[in-house]
Amino acid sequence: MTVRILLCDDHVVVRAGLLALLGSEDGFEVVGEAGSGEEAVAMAAKLAPDVVLMDLQLGPGMDGVEATRTIASPTVRVLVLTTYDTDADITRAIAAGATGYLLKAERPEELFAAIRAASEGRTALSAPVASRVMDRMRGAAGPTLTDRESEILAQLAQGLGNREIARALFISEATVKTHLGRIYAKLGVDTRAGAVSVAKEQRLLP
């Protein structure tokens, strides 16, 4: 089955390169080219492509995320193809309904596979993007503390000082300070009160 594709990129040279590249692969048909978000929305409504290859930065006017939000549907899939891989860009594009997120540095065969996956409604992510998504998911799950760090945090929550914590856990004050530094780093704080507050918010205390 031929995958009908709409290109959206504000650079004519980029569109020409994609047109030539996709034309070399069997099973693809480029049905239109848009240079702005507004054009992409209008052409998608008129042409009903299977996949829209969408850049994020499109100059003045509607950006790629807004265009994606308007275009994406169960019958028209949007595959982001961009040079940007910041957490904010990835999150906004996926939240707007993009089926996949690919970087322009990918090899042609990766682009071809992603287009086919998108046309079938399957998620397609560049490896660096997938890693960032996984990192964000791990971060959202909260930091992971070691058993010793959890013990020290519990003592901290009771208002004990370093010397008292050291005595209670039969370790040196220097060891307590080392663990506190790691706890602060994991929780993103720099004070004892901050550590206790964040630990309570994230339910890290018994």
Side-chain angles (χ1 to χ4, degrees), residues 72-151:
S73 74
T75 56
V76 181
R77 312 290 183 174
V78 177
L79 175 61
V80 170
L81 182 64
T82 185
T83 56
Y84 305 93
D85 66 342
T86 67
D87 288 350
D89 285 327
I90 295 168
T91 300
R92 290 178 64 229
I94 293 176
T99 299
Y101 197 110
L102 218 64
L103 300 180
K104 289 180 178 177
E106 290 291 353
R107 295 174 300 173
E109 53 267 33
E110 296 292 338
L111 173 60
F112 299 157
I115 291 173
R116 291 191 176 96
S119 72
E120 297 169 1
R122 293 184 286 113
T123 301
L125 300 174
S126 285
V129 173
S131 295
R132 295 182 79 94
V133 171
M134 291 301 294
D135 287 344
R136 281 185 67 86
M137 291 180 67
R138 292 189 186 102
T144 301
L145 301 179
T146 65
D147 290 341
R148 178 61 82 188
E149 289 166 354
S150 295
E151 289 175 342

Side-chain angles (χ1 to χ4, degrees), residues 2-206:
T2 299
V3 179
R4 303 173 70 255
I5 303 166
L6 171 64
L7 305 179
C8 181
D9 196 295
D10 60 337
H11 292 96
V12 177
V13 173
V14 173
R15 296 203 306 272
L18 286 171
L19 186 61
L21 182 63
L22 296 173
S24 70
E25 181 73 2
D26 290 337
F28 292 152
E29 178 189 359
V30 176
V31 296
E33 299 178 46
S36 69
E38 290 83 356
E39 285 184 353
V41 169
M43 294 182 74
K46 178 181 179 181
L47 301 172
D50 300 308
V51 175
V52 178
L53 279 185
M54 179 71 71
D55 192 11
L56 290 184
Q57 302 297 330
L58 299 172
M62 182 183 292
D63 67 5
V65 172
E66 281 303 312
T68 295
R69 184 173 289 111
T70 304
I71 294 171
S73 74
T75 56
V76 181
R77 312 290 183 174
V78 177
L79 175 61
V80 170
L81 182 64
T82 185
T83 56
Y84 305 93
D85 66 342
T86 67
D87 288 350
D89 285 327
I90 295 168
T91 300
R92 290 178 64 229
I94 293 176
T99 299
Y101 197 110
L102 218 64
L103 300 180
K104 289 180 178 177
E106 290 291 353
R107 295 174 300 173
E109 53 267 33
E110 296 292 338
L111 173 60
F112 299 157
I115 291 173
R116 291 191 176 96
S119 72
E120 297 169 1
R122 293 184 286 113
T123 301
L125 300 174
S126 285
V129 173
S131 295
R132 295 182 79 94
V133 171
M134 291 301 294
D135 287 344
R136 281 185 67 86
M137 291 180 67
R138 292 189 186 102
T144 301
L145 301 179
T146 65
D147 290 341
R148 178 61 82 188
E149 289 166 354
S150 295
E151 289 175 342
I152 290 176
L153 189 58
Q155 300 287 328
L156 202 66
Q158 294 177 28
L160 301 184
N162 288 2
R163 182 175 297 178
E164 295 168 307
I165 293 174
R167 288 175 179 169
L169 299 179
F170 303 101
I171 56 179
S172 69
E173 283 189 62
T175 299
V176 172
K177 290 180 180 178
T178 297
H179 283 301
L180 282 176
R182 292 172 182 164
I183 291 170
Y184 290 172
K186 288 182 178 181
L187 299 184
V189 300
D190 53 15
T191 66
R192 302 165 78 87
V196 173
S197 177
V198 171
K200 288 179 178 178
E201 289 177 3
Q202 300 191 14
R203 300 181 180 180
L204 297 175
L205 290 170

